[in-house]
Amino acid sequence: MTHANAGNSEEPISFVDKRKVDPDSGEVREQAGAGNGSAPAGPEATNGDGAEAPVSDASVELAERTADLQRLTAEYANYRRRTERDRKAAIDTAKAGVVTELLGVLDDLDRAKAHGDLESGPLKSVADKLADALRKQGLEEFGSEGEPFDPTLHEAVQHEGSGHDPVIGLVMRKGYRFGDRVLRHALVGVTDGVGDLPTAAPSDQAGAATSGDAEASDADAGTNEG
């Protein structure tokens, strides 16, 4: 009986409060083992000081890959612009070469027009269509009487006047350009502008008019006496 009662006696039950926050004070409890220098359990403890190293290496690698991608994108954009510029330059050069070969035909048509051969008929239609087609491709003619003389566009083979403020007085051959490219300079004769011609002063003009009236009066008087 004594042994049975001893076996059925209840043993005290102990509880270990493992909560990290004290329910009464609300303060964070110090973890076990922290006081004796042992590292806390968890993934950071297994790696020690290098626990955050993999994350840092990934960020650096991502930044390097991003910089490489941006550099490649910029290089590709520059390559596309350079290729497009070279392609356009090659096309313009080819067009300019073809148009230059046709300038002689345009000169013949201009001479025929000057002689009145393009007033009507099939040749006039052909000349108009050719001129329109070349104009649409970018061909422009320059060099006409009265335009200011420009040595970069005009070639002067005749000079008249003092040379101050020169303008085109005679066009011997038209000039042509294709876009920004001058295909042929215009052959012109240069003279002074209208603003450079000498003009009589108002007093001189009045004196000349008075003198003219006096001479006319004398002539009339002589006629009446006769």
Side-chain angles (χ1 to χ4, degrees), residues 34-128:
N36 55 12
S38 59
E44 296 180 356
T46 57
N47 295 333
D49 295 338
E52 297 181 358
V55 178
S56 178
D57 292 344
S59 300
V60 172
E61 184 176 0
L62 177 61
E64 292 177 353
R65 295 295 181 268
T66 303
D68 293 341
L69 180 60
Q70 292 176 348
R71 183 171 59 256
L72 290 175
T73 303
E75 292 178 356
Y76 179 69
N78 293 333
Y79 168 76
R80 289 188 59 184
R81 285 194 294 267
R82 185 170 59 254
T83 302
E84 183 64 21
R85 183 174 61 251
D86 294 343
R87 186 182 69 85
K88 186 177 182 302
I91 293 176
D92 292 342
T93 301
K95 287 183 178 180
V98 175
V99 172
T100 302
E101 296 296 329
L102 296 176
L103 295 184
V105 179
L106 295 178
D107 292 339
D108 293 339
L109 293 176
D110 288 338
R111 284 189 288 268
K113 183 184 295 184
H115 287 82
D117 297 336
L118 297 182
E119 297 296 332
S120 61
L123 184 59
K124 180 180 184 303
S125 177
V126 173
D128 293 340

Side-chain angles (χ1 to χ4, degrees), residues 15 65 126 176 213 220:
F15 296 92
R65 295 295 181 268
V126 173
Y176 291 94
D213 293 341
D220 292 340

Side-chain angles (χ1 to χ4, degrees), residues 69-207:
L69 180 60
Q70 292 176 348
R71 183 171 59 256
L72 290 175
T73 303
E75 292 178 356
Y76 179 69
N78 293 333
Y79 168 76
R80 289 188 59 184
R81 285 194 294 267
R82 185 170 59 254
T83 302
E84 183 64 21
R85 183 174 61 251
D86 294 343
R87 186 182 69 85
K88 186 177 182 302
I91 293 176
D92 292 342
T93 301
K95 287 183 178 180
V98 175
V99 172
T100 302
E101 296 296 329
L102 296 176
L103 295 184
V105 179
L106 295 178
D107 292 339
D108 293 339
L109 293 176
D110 288 338
R111 284 189 288 268
K113 183 184 295 184
H115 287 82
D117 297 336
L118 297 182
E119 297 296 332
S120 61
L123 184 59
K124 180 180 184 303
S125 177
V126 173
D128 293 340
K129 290 181 179 178
L130 177 61
D132 291 340
L134 294 177
R135 191 177 301 108
K136 290 179 180 179
Q137 293 299 323
L139 181 66
E140 297 180 7
E141 66 179 35
F142 59 88
S144 59
E145 295 181 2
E147 288 184 3
F149 175 73
D150 186 353
T152 62
L153 299 176
H154 310 131
E155 182 179 350
V157 295
Q158 180 180 343
H159 296 269
E160 294 181 358
S162 62
H164 180 68
D165 191 18
V167 297
I168 298 176
L170 177 65
V171 179
M172 305 174 187
R173 188 186 66 184
K174 290 183 179 179
Y176 291 94
R177 60 187 167 202
F178 188 79
D180 297 334
R181 182 180 309 182
V182 177
L183 300 182
R184 189 179 72 184
H185 291 74
L187 292 179
V188 299
V190 179
T191 185
D192 291 337
V194 178
D196 295 336
L197 296 178
T199 57
S203 59
D204 296 338
Q205 293 178 354

